[in-house]
Amino acid sequence: MSDDEPDLELLALLQKSLGLNGVSAVGPAETRVLESAEYVYNNSIDVALDMRGTKAAASTIWQLMHEKEYSFKQWTEHELHPKSKDKSTVDFIFVLDLLNFCFWSDSDAEQRFAIEYKGRRWTGYWSLVAALQRALDEETPIASPAYWGSQCQDCMKQTLSHVFRSATAEEIPLLDERISCVREAGQVLLDQFEGTFTTCIERAKGSAAALVNIIVENFPCFRDEARFEGKTIRFYKRAQILVADLWACFEGQSYGNFHDIDKITMFADYRIPQMLNSLGCLQYSPSLDHHIRQRKPIDSGHSWEIQLRGCSIWCVELIRREIVHHHPKAHVNAILIDFFLYDTIKAQEADGIIAIPHHRTRSIWY
Ligand SMILES: Nc1nc2c(c(CN[C@H]3C=C[C@H](O)[C@@H]3O)cn2[C@@H]2O[C@H](COP(=O)(O)O)[C@@H](O)[C@H]2O)c(=O)[nH]1
């Protein structure tokens, strides 16, 4: 912890003792993710932004989003996403984004981990949604923290192995880590939040940033941070996409009603950097470019990984500013740009269009 950084653990303890759990004791809550992203961008040497490419991409993205009338409504339109707008859907979204990480495989399309559901094989993020929906259809209460808390370690391993049983010989990546995440989160929800994530939402008092802070302060498996050039870099990818999925699913109402939703940044995963690179926004140094094209792994916490993630967040922020500058009345935020880019690259992948592979880091963070 460097001198200029407040001790978040101590601050969290103080806030908890004052009953200000996760809600900033003074002034509006901030996640400090964008500040981290700008710092990474200003100190990156292997990843750079191409300003002409970024401006051109902003124009293209806006045009396509406008033509498609892209909004948070697309979230519910996805075949596998939950349709009911109630507490059970909050619990579903919590377990979804608790486990929303690391689906990439080095196996080919036929051999890679896949979930069979509704007569189709689902891979990647959609394999997770399919597995959870299939579990609910089979009456396994996979979204219930009380159920997780009642399971011993071995029972939980058996349950999740069954929930994530693959249609191929390859199992879901990081299964043991996923079991640990469920057990840890279940314990925290039961001990501190009356066994339901809706208590966290209530304590955030309508602030998306406060809810992100409550999540990362109380659930270590969401605390997506790294050290880079002497500073703590905050990405908070799953905490932010959890808040964004609530906002999109509930269309800004009820459990998705946040007055500061535009403080949420792009979600630093492995897909959006790939898309930004193929759009000519993100440029890699020759050694990094070669490494990624060779499909070689990059360790979690490696400088290259932090530069890829931080510069991607900053790039989407510049795209957002460019769009809002030319279309002041447009309701576009980093979430919708991000969702649009993810859906677009998945559609391109389905059509066999991929310029350069995505980077390969195995971690629970994204
Ligand atoms: N930045 C960003 N990352 C996203 C998503 C989503 C899905 N969001 C849905 C909800 C609304 C949107 O409209 C999407 O339909 C998954 N991921 C991440 O990607 C990786 C999975 O990739 P692949 O293995 O190819 O499926 C993995 O790290 C996963 O966490 C997103 O939206 N943004």
Side-chain angles (χ1 to χ4, degrees), residues 99 101 153 156-157 160-161 171-183 364:
L99 300 173
F101 57 81
Q153 171 83 9
M156 183 54 82
K157 185 168 176 73
L160 288 183
S161 300
E171 78 168 19
I172 188 168
L174 304 182
L175 177 60
D176 288 342
E177 288 77 357
R178 294 180 202 274
I179 294 164
S180 303
C181 287
V182 169
R183 286 178 58 80
I364 67 164

Side-chain angles (χ1 to χ4, degrees), residues 136-155:
L136 293 179
D137 292 357
E138 294 169 349
E139 296 181 3
T140 300
I142 192 58
S144 157
Y147 172 73
W148 307 339
S150 67
Q151 298 281 301
C152 69
Q153 171 83 9
D154 287 347
C155 314

Side-chain angles (χ1 to χ4, degrees), residues 70 74-75 78 81 97 100-104 112 123-126 237-238 241 245 248 266-272 335 338-340 342-343 345-346 349 358 365-366:
Y70 198 85
Q74 259 78 11
W75 195 96
H78 284 292
H81 278 161
D97 287 319
N100 188 0
F101 57 81
C102 197
F103 304 104
W104 60 266
R112 70 175 293 187
T123 58
Y125 163 79
W126 295 109
K237 181 258 177 186
R238 288 195 288 108
I241 203 169
D245 283 344
M266 165 267 184
F267 318 112
D269 73 320
Y270 51 87
R271 282 295 181 191
I272 307 301
I335 298 172
D338 175 291
F339 281 175
F340 175 77
Y342 176 85
D343 287 343
I345 197 164
K346 295 305 287 177
E349 188 184 55
H358 61 71
W365 307 121
Y366 59 98

Side-chain angles (χ1 to χ4, degrees), residues 8 10 74 88-89 99-100 121 155 185 190 200 218 234 236 263 265 269 307 346 362:
L8 278 182
L10 177 63
Q74 259 78 11
S88 68
T89 292
L99 300 173
N100 188 0
R121 279 194 178 189
C155 314
L190 290 170
C200 300
N218 291 283
R234 296 170 176 85
Y236 299 161
K263 285 184 181 173
T265 74
D269 73 320
Q307 293 179 57
K346 295 305 287 177
R362 286 239 185 270

